[in-house]
Amino acid sequence: MLCLYRTRHTPTETLGVLVFAGIPLAFTLEPPWKNNETDVSCIPTGVYPIEKFFHEKFGQTLHIAHVSDRTGIYFHCGNWSTDTKGCPLIGNEFIERLNSLMLVNSRITFDQIMPVLYNNPLVTEIHIIDVSQSHDETEKQYYGDGHISPDRI
């Protein structure tokens, strides 16, 4: 099962962990929650179908389909929550820069994990789950030293 666990919300960003079959694959960075407003909000929690898609800018990626009042939600690369209009960005580490969190090694992480997920027939849906109320335990479980190695997959 593919899950995106949202672990922390701030006024400027939403942090999470992308997990497949119980294995943390990447950290995620999304815009903050703004009532699912197009181009400025992360999408609502829930279970969504995944469509394998070849995007001319991002290459092989996963499209999160059937999001209420939203279209074009793809996993892609980026470093800041302002690098996306609602899509989850993936990387393997957060560092603090300019009073905000920066997601790093995004292209490397994307290039390592996306082919695995894209070509796996078990990846048919994603569960987006907010665990920020109990984020201390989740962060200890997934964040550890603040670095995820895609070599785990």
Side-chain angles (χ1 to χ4, degrees), residues 118-137:
Y118 187 91
N119 293 311
N120 190 316
L122 299 177
V123 177
T124 60
E125 64 183 17
I126 186 166
H127 297 244
I128 299 178
I129 302 163
D130 191 326
V131 295
S132 62
Q133 300 301 324
S134 59
H135 76 277
D136 289 342
E137 287 305 312

PDB file of all heavy atoms in Angstrom, residues 118-137:
ATOM      1  N   TYR A 118       6.332   3.436 -10.376  1.00  0.00           N
ATOM      2  CA  TYR A 118       5.658   3.506 -11.674  1.00  0.00           C
ATOM      3  C   TYR A 118       5.466   2.106 -12.274  1.00  0.00           C
ATOM      4  O   TYR A 118       4.432   1.808 -12.853  1.00  0.00           O
ATOM      5  CB  TYR A 118       6.485   4.382 -12.611  1.00  0.00           C
ATOM      6  CG  TYR A 118       5.836   4.694 -13.933  1.00  0.00           C
ATOM      7  CD1 TYR A 118       5.050   5.822 -14.084  1.00  0.00           C
ATOM      8  CD2 TYR A 118       6.047   3.882 -15.043  1.00  0.00           C
ATOM      9  CE1 TYR A 118       4.481   6.133 -15.305  1.00  0.00           C
ATOM     10  CE2 TYR A 118       5.476   4.184 -16.272  1.00  0.00           C
ATOM     11  CZ  TYR A 118       4.683   5.314 -16.391  1.00  0.00           C
ATOM     12  OH  TYR A 118       4.109   5.611 -17.603  1.00  0.00           O
ATOM     13  N   ASN A 119       6.463   1.271 -12.113  1.00  0.00           N
ATOM     14  CA  ASN A 119       6.423  -0.064 -12.721  1.00  0.00           C
ATOM     15  C   ASN A 119       5.862  -1.146 -11.810  1.00  0.00           C
ATOM     16  O   ASN A 119       5.785  -2.308 -12.212  1.00  0.00           O
ATOM     17  CB  ASN A 119       7.828  -0.462 -13.192  1.00  0.00           C
ATOM     18  CG  ASN A 119       8.285   0.414 -14.337  1.00  0.00           C
ATOM     19  OD1 ASN A 119       7.566   0.615 -15.301  1.00  0.00           O
ATOM     20  ND2 ASN A 119       9.477   0.973 -14.211  1.00  0.00           N
ATOM     21  N   ASN A 120       5.441  -0.779 -10.602  1.00  0.00           N
ATOM     22  CA  ASN A 120       4.903  -1.767  -9.674  1.00  0.00           C
ATOM     23  C   ASN A 120       3.390  -1.893  -9.867  1.00  0.00           C
ATOM     24  O   ASN A 120       2.662  -0.921  -9.676  1.00  0.00           O
ATOM     25  CB  ASN A 120       5.215  -1.365  -8.239  1.00  0.00           C
ATOM     26  CG  ASN A 120       4.904  -2.456  -7.250  1.00  0.00           C
ATOM     27  OD1 ASN A 120       3.867  -3.100  -7.325  1.00  0.00           O
ATOM     28  ND2 ASN A 120       5.802  -2.658  -6.308  1.00  0.00           N
ATOM     29  N   PRO A 121       2.896  -3.085 -10.228  1.00  0.00           N
ATOM     30  CA  PRO A 121       1.457  -3.247 -10.457  1.00  0.00           C
ATOM     31  C   PRO A 121       0.613  -3.092  -9.190  1.00  0.00           C
ATOM     32  O   PRO A 121      -0.600  -2.918  -9.274  1.00  0.00           O
ATOM     33  CB  PRO A 121       1.339  -4.667 -11.024  1.00  0.00           C
ATOM     34  CG  PRO A 121       2.576  -5.366 -10.585  1.00  0.00           C
ATOM     35  CD  PRO A 121       3.640  -4.316 -10.466  1.00  0.00           C
ATOM     36  N   LEU A 122       1.239  -3.124  -8.021  1.00  0.00           N
ATOM     37  CA  LEU A 122       0.496  -2.962  -6.768  1.00  0.00           C
ATOM     38  C   LEU A 122       0.194  -1.498  -6.445  1.00  0.00           C
ATOM     39  O   LEU A 122      -0.604  -1.215  -5.555  1.00  0.00           O
ATOM     40  CB  LEU A 122       1.265  -3.589  -5.604  1.00  0.00           C
ATOM     41  CG  LEU A 122       1.527  -5.090  -5.725  1.00  0.00           C
ATOM     42  CD1 LEU A 122       2.366  -5.572  -4.546  1.00  0.00           C
ATOM     43  CD2 LEU A 122       0.223  -5.861  -5.814  1.00  0.00           C
ATOM     44  N   VAL A 123       0.838  -0.581  -7.161  1.00  0.00           N
ATOM     45  CA  VAL A 123       0.609   0.847  -6.910  1.00  0.00           C
ATOM     46  C   VAL A 123      -0.605   1.280  -7.734  1.00  0.00           C
ATOM     47  O   VAL A 123      -0.496   1.640  -8.903  1.00  0.00           O
ATOM     48  CB  VAL A 123       1.861   1.682  -7.244  1.00  0.00           C
ATOM     49  CG1 VAL A 123       1.590   3.169  -7.053  1.00  0.00           C
ATOM     50  CG2 VAL A 123       3.030   1.244  -6.383  1.00  0.00           C
ATOM     51  N   THR A 124      -1.767   1.223  -7.114  1.00  0.00           N
ATOM     52  CA  THR A 124      -3.021   1.588  -7.788  1.00  0.00           C
ATOM     53  C   THR A 124      -3.792   2.678  -7.064  1.00  0.00           C
ATOM     54  O   THR A 124      -4.717   3.254  -7.615  1.00  0.00           O
ATOM     55  CB  THR A 124      -3.945   0.357  -7.928  1.00  0.00           C
ATOM     56  OG1 THR A 124      -4.236  -0.148  -6.618  1.00  0.00           O
ATOM     57  CG2 THR A 124      -3.294  -0.729  -8.773  1.00  0.00           C
ATOM     58  N   GLU A 125      -3.408   2.938  -5.811  1.00  0.00           N
ATOM     59  CA  GLU A 125      -4.067   3.996  -5.054  1.00  0.00           C
ATOM     60  C   GLU A 125      -3.107   4.524  -4.000  1.00  0.00           C
ATOM     61  O   GLU A 125      -2.105   3.887  -3.677  1.00  0.00           O
ATOM     62  CB  GLU A 125      -5.359   3.505  -4.395  1.00  0.00           C
ATOM     63  CG  GLU A 125      -5.175   2.443  -3.346  1.00  0.00           C
ATOM     64  CD  GLU A 125      -6.491   1.933  -2.761  1.00  0.00           C
ATOM     65  OE1 GLU A 125      -7.553   2.150  -3.360  1.00  0.00           O
ATOM     66  OE2 GLU A 125      -6.435   1.302  -1.702  1.00  0.00           O
ATOM     67  N   ILE A 126      -3.439   5.702  -3.494  1.00  0.00           N
ATOM     68  CA  ILE A 126      -2.645   6.293  -2.423  1.00  0.00           C
ATOM     69  C   ILE A 126      -3.571   6.692  -1.290  1.00  0.00           C
ATOM     70  O   ILE A 126      -4.672   7.191  -1.519  1.00  0.00           O
ATOM     71  CB  ILE A 126      -1.824   7.504  -2.914  1.00  0.00           C
ATOM     72  CG1 ILE A 126      -0.901   8.005  -1.787  1.00  0.00           C
ATOM     73  CG2 ILE A 126      -2.708   8.614  -3.468  1.00  0.00           C
ATOM     74  CD1 ILE A 126       0.184   8.954  -2.249  1.00  0.00           C
ATOM     75  N   HIS A 127      -3.114   6.422  -0.083  1.00  0.00           N
ATOM     76  CA  HIS A 127      -3.820   6.825   1.131  1.00  0.00           C
ATOM     77  C   HIS A 127      -3.085   8.043   1.680  1.00  0.00           C
ATOM     78  O   HIS A 127      -1.911   7.925   2.053  1.00  0.00           O
ATOM     79  CB  HIS A 127      -3.812   5.701   2.165  1.00  0.00           C
ATOM     80  CG  HIS A 127      -4.524   4.475   1.708  1.00  0.00           C
ATOM     81  ND1 HIS A 127      -5.646   4.010   2.330  1.00  0.00           N
ATOM     82  CD2 HIS A 127      -4.287   3.617   0.679  1.00  0.00           C
ATOM     83  CE1 HIS A 127      -6.078   2.920   1.712  1.00  0.00           C
ATOM     84  NE2 HIS A 127      -5.255   2.668   0.702  1.00  0.00           N
ATOM     85  N   ILE A 128      -3.749   9.177   1.712  1.00  0.00           N
ATOM     86  CA  ILE A 128      -3.160  10.384   2.281  1.00  0.00           C
ATOM     87  C   ILE A 128      -3.758  10.551   3.668  1.00  0.00           C
ATOM     88  O   ILE A 128      -4.969  10.724   3.819  1.00  0.00           O
ATOM     89  CB  ILE A 128      -3.408  11.606   1.389  1.00  0.00           C
ATOM     90  CG1 ILE A 128      -2.768  11.374   0.018  1.00  0.00           C
ATOM     91  CG2 ILE A 128      -2.846  12.869   2.055  1.00  0.00           C
ATOM     92  CD1 ILE A 128      -2.965  12.484  -0.976  1.00  0.00           C
ATOM     93  N   ILE A 129      -2.889  10.457   4.667  1.00  0.00           N
ATOM     94  CA  ILE A 129      -3.321  10.371   6.058  1.00  0.00           C
ATOM     95  C   ILE A 129      -2.630  11.468   6.860  1.00  0.00           C
ATOM     96  O   ILE A 129      -1.400  11.616   6.799  1.00  0.00           O
ATOM     97  CB  ILE A 129      -2.968   8.982   6.639  1.00  0.00           C
ATOM     98  CG1 ILE A 129      -3.614   7.895   5.802  1.00  0.00           C
ATOM     99  CG2 ILE A 129      -3.367   8.883   8.103  1.00  0.00           C
ATOM    100  CD1 ILE A 129      -3.029   6.510   6.011  1.00  0.00           C
ATOM    101  N   ASP A 130      -3.405  12.208   7.619  1.00  0.00           N
ATOM    102  CA  ASP A 130      -2.841  13.253   8.479  1.00  0.00           C
ATOM    103  C   ASP A 130      -2.585  12.672   9.857  1.00  0.00           C
ATOM    104  O   ASP A 130      -3.517  12.263  10.540  1.00  0.00           O
ATOM    105  CB  ASP A 130      -3.818  14.429   8.571  1.00  0.00           C
ATOM    106  CG  ASP A 130      -3.184  15.644   9.219  1.00  0.00           C
ATOM    107  OD1 ASP A 130      -2.333  15.464  10.117  1.00  0.00           O
ATOM    108  OD2 ASP A 130      -3.547  16.757   8.832  1.00  0.00           O
ATOM    109  N   VAL A 131      -1.330  12.607  10.240  1.00  0.00           N
ATOM    110  CA  VAL A 131      -0.960  12.111  11.566  1.00  0.00           C
ATOM    111  C   VAL A 131      -0.313  13.226  12.379  1.00  0.00           C
ATOM    112  O   VAL A 131       0.359  12.961  13.371  1.00  0.00           O
ATOM    113  CB  VAL A 131      -0.020  10.879  11.483  1.00  0.00           C
ATOM    114  CG1 VAL A 131      -0.734   9.702  10.842  1.00  0.00           C
ATOM    115  CG2 VAL A 131       1.260  11.215  10.745  1.00  0.00           C
ATOM    116  N   SER A 132      -0.544  14.458  11.980  1.00  0.00           N
ATOM    117  CA  SER A 132       0.134  15.574  12.625  1.00  0.00           C
ATOM    118  C   SER A 132      -0.276  15.755  14.077  1.00  0.00           C
ATOM    119  O   SER A 132       0.482  16.303  14.865  1.00  0.00           O
ATOM    120  CB  SER A 132      -0.101  16.877  11.858  1.00  0.00           C
ATOM    121  OG  SER A 132      -1.475  17.202  11.832  1.00  0.00           O
ATOM    122  N   GLN A 133      -1.450  15.265  14.471  1.00  0.00           N
ATOM    123  CA  GLN A 133      -1.865  15.366  15.860  1.00  0.00           C
ATOM    124  C   GLN A 133      -0.956  14.545  16.763  1.00  0.00           C
ATOM    125  O   GLN A 133      -0.763  14.870  17.916  1.00  0.00           O
ATOM    126  CB  GLN A 133      -3.322  14.901  16.030  1.00  0.00           C
ATOM    127  CG  GLN A 133      -4.311  15.699  15.227  1.00  0.00           C
ATOM    128  CD  GLN A 133      -4.301  17.169  15.586  1.00  0.00           C
ATOM    129  OE1 GLN A 133      -4.128  17.530  16.741  1.00  0.00           O
ATOM    130  NE2 GLN A 133      -4.460  18.022  14.600  1.00  0.00           N
ATOM    131  N   SER A 134      -0.419  13.472  16.213  1.00  0.00           N
ATOM    132  CA  SER A 134       0.480  12.616  16.987  1.00  0.00           C
ATOM    133  C   SER A 134       1.852  12.586  16.321  1.00  0.00           C
ATOM    134  O   SER A 134       2.494  11.569  16.243  1.00  0.00           O
ATOM    135  CB  SER A 134      -0.100  11.206  17.075  1.00  0.00           C
ATOM    136  OG  SER A 134      -0.265  10.675  15.778  1.00  0.00           O
ATOM    137  N   HIS A 135       2.281  13.748  15.808  1.00  0.00           N
ATOM    138  CA  HIS A 135       3.486  13.789  14.987  1.00  0.00           C
ATOM    139  C   HIS A 135       4.765  13.419  15.719  1.00  0.00           C
ATOM    140  O   HIS A 135       5.715  12.989  15.100  1.00  0.00           O
ATOM    141  CB  HIS A 135       3.637  15.151  14.308  1.00  0.00           C
ATOM    142  CG  HIS A 135       4.113  16.240  15.210  1.00  0.00           C
ATOM    143  ND1 HIS A 135       3.276  16.937  16.036  1.00  0.00           N
ATOM    144  CD2 HIS A 135       5.351  16.747  15.408  1.00  0.00           C
ATOM    145  CE1 HIS A 135       3.967  17.828  16.706  1.00  0.00           C
ATOM    146  NE2 HIS A 135       5.217  17.735  16.356  1.00  0.00           N
ATOM    147  N   ASP A 136       4.827  13.545  17.021  1.00  0.00           N
ATOM    148  CA  ASP A 136       6.065  13.209  17.715  1.00  0.00           C
ATOM    149  C   ASP A 136       6.484  11.768  17.471  1.00  0.00           C
ATOM    150  O   ASP A 136       7.615  11.482  17.115  1.00  0.00           O
ATOM    151  CB  ASP A 136       5.938  13.452  19.217  1.00  0.00           C
ATOM    152  CG  ASP A 136       5.889  14.932  19.553  1.00  0.00           C
ATOM    153  OD1 ASP A 136       6.291  15.744  18.692  1.00  0.00           O
ATOM    154  OD2 ASP A 136       5.441  15.264  20.652  1.00  0.00           O
ATOM    155  N   GLU A 137       5.550  10.826  17.641  1.00  0.00           N
ATOM    156  CA  GLU A 137       5.870   9.409  17.423  1.00  0.00           C
ATOM    157  C   GLU A 137       6.150   9.126  15.955  1.00  0.00           C
ATOM    158  O   GLU A 137       7.053   8.374  15.619  1.00  0.00           O
ATOM    159  CB  GLU A 137       4.736   8.511  17.929  1.00  0.00           C
ATOM    160  CG  GLU A 137       4.668   8.431  19.434  1.00  0.00           C
ATOM    161  CD  GLU A 137       5.984   7.983  20.061  1.00  0.00           C
ATOM    162  OE1 GLU A 137       6.563   6.986  19.603  1.00  0.00           O
ATOM    163  OE2 GLU A 137       6.442   8.649  21.001  1.00  0.00           O
TER     164      GLU A 137
END
